[in-house]
Structures are given as structure tokens and as C-alpha cells.
């Protein structure tokens, strides 16, 4: 099976129906294998939506059919976003200023890792004879 882009719930239902037909099995066998209640797949895939996919049924069904979700894209519906913006109250206080991220660590070499920042590394100390 090659990757398929699904944009609506109706397309997802059609994809799952096609996958069950491709595997040559029945809805009741998928119910049993997925651990779903009797007739759950039939209700999920009915042409007149009887049940919707839930956070338990969808993963179990996809797993039973050896399907996975590879990518999820979120897009903005501009018409709906305009309506939502009108209904949401604006923020009352100003956004917080970003905190400055100054680096306080002193860079060191591989040999200096076990030395104190205030001490000079032992290999740099001059030994007097």
C-alpha cells in the first residue's frame, strides 16, 4: 500500500473500508483482533455516521489493520479564524520581555575539564627547578 493523504473523516472511513477489503477480512474479525466491542467497526464505518473515532478506537483499529499515521499537518482556516478572533478577548497585560541569555560559562579545552576556573591547569604551571 502506498501513502495516502486523508483530509476528511469521510476519506478516513473510506480508506479503512478499502484496507479491510484489501486484507480480505470482515468487520467482525477486525473487531475481535483489535479488541473492540462487537459491531464497533460496523458502527464506525457506517455510511450514516453512527459512531465517531475516539482516542481508543482509532489507534486499536489502525494497529489491527497495520496502518500508521506518518504526518499530521495543521492549517488555518482563514474564514473561521476571523470569526474566532472576534469572539476571543484580547490579552489584558503586556507580553513578558524576553530574558537575556548571556553565557556565564568560561570556555575550556578538553584537558581543562577537571580544573577549577580560578586555577591554572597543572600542565600550564611552570615548575621551577
Amino acid at each position: 500500500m502506498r501513502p495516502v493523504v486523508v483530509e476528511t473523516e469521510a476519506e478516513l472511513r473510506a480508506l479503512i473500508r478499502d484496507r479491510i477489503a484489501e486484507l480480505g477480512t470482515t468487520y467482525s474479525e477486525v473487531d475481535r483482533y483489535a479488541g473492540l466491542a462487537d459491531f464497533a467497526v460496523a458502527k464506525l464505518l457506517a455510511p450514516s455516521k453512527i459512531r465517531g473515532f475516539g482516542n481508543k478506537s482509532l489507534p486499536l483499529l489502525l494497529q489491527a489493520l497495520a496502518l500508521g499515521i506518518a504526518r499530521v499537518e495543521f492549517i488555518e482556516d482563514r474564514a473561521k479564524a476571523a470569526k474566532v478572533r472576534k469572539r476571543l478577548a484580547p490579552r489584558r497585560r503586556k507580553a513578558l520581555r524576553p530574558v537575556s541569555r548571556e553565557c556565564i560559562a568560561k570556555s575550556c579545552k578538553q584537558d581543562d575539564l577537571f580544573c577549577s576556573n580560578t586555577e591554572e591547569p597543572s600542565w600550564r604551571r611552570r615548575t621551577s627547578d
Side-chain angles (χ1 to χ4, degrees), residues 56-110:
K56 291 182 182 175
S57 62
L58 183 60
L60 289 172
L61 185 57
L62 293 177
Q63 186 177 7
L65 298 174
L67 294 174
I69 298 173
R71 183 180 78 193
V72 177
E73 274 187 32
F74 292 95
I75 59 169
E76 181 183 41
D77 183 343
R78 292 180 188 212
K80 288 182 183 177
K83 289 179 183 179
V84 168
R85 283 193 182 99
K86 290 178 187 175
R87 299 182 92 185
L88 294 175
R91 179 183 286 195
R92 292 182 187 204
R93 58 187 169 122
K94 294 180 182 178
L96 298 174
R97 289 183 290 138
V99 178
S100 64
R101 307 239 185 243
E102 294 180 24
C103 181
I104 60 170
K106 184 178 174 183
S107 63
C108 61
K109 295 180 182 175
Q110 182 69 27

Side-chain angles (χ1 to χ4, degrees), residues 4-24:
V4 177
V5 176
V6 175
E7 294 181 353
T8 64
E9 190 173 348
E11 290 179 0
L12 178 61
R13 290 172 194 278
L15 172 76
I16 292 173
R17 273 190 223 103
D18 294 345
R19 180 64 175 172
I20 291 171
E22 180 184 325
L23 293 174

Side-chain angles (χ1 to χ4, degrees), residues 24-52:
T25 189
T26 63
Y27 289 177
S28 60
E29 278 299 306
V30 176
D31 283 333
R32 187 186 59 74
Y33 184 68
L36 297 169
D38 292 341
F39 305 105
V41 174
K43 291 177 183 178
L44 289 168
L45 302 180
S48 59
K49 185 178 171 184
I50 296 172
R51 285 206 141 182

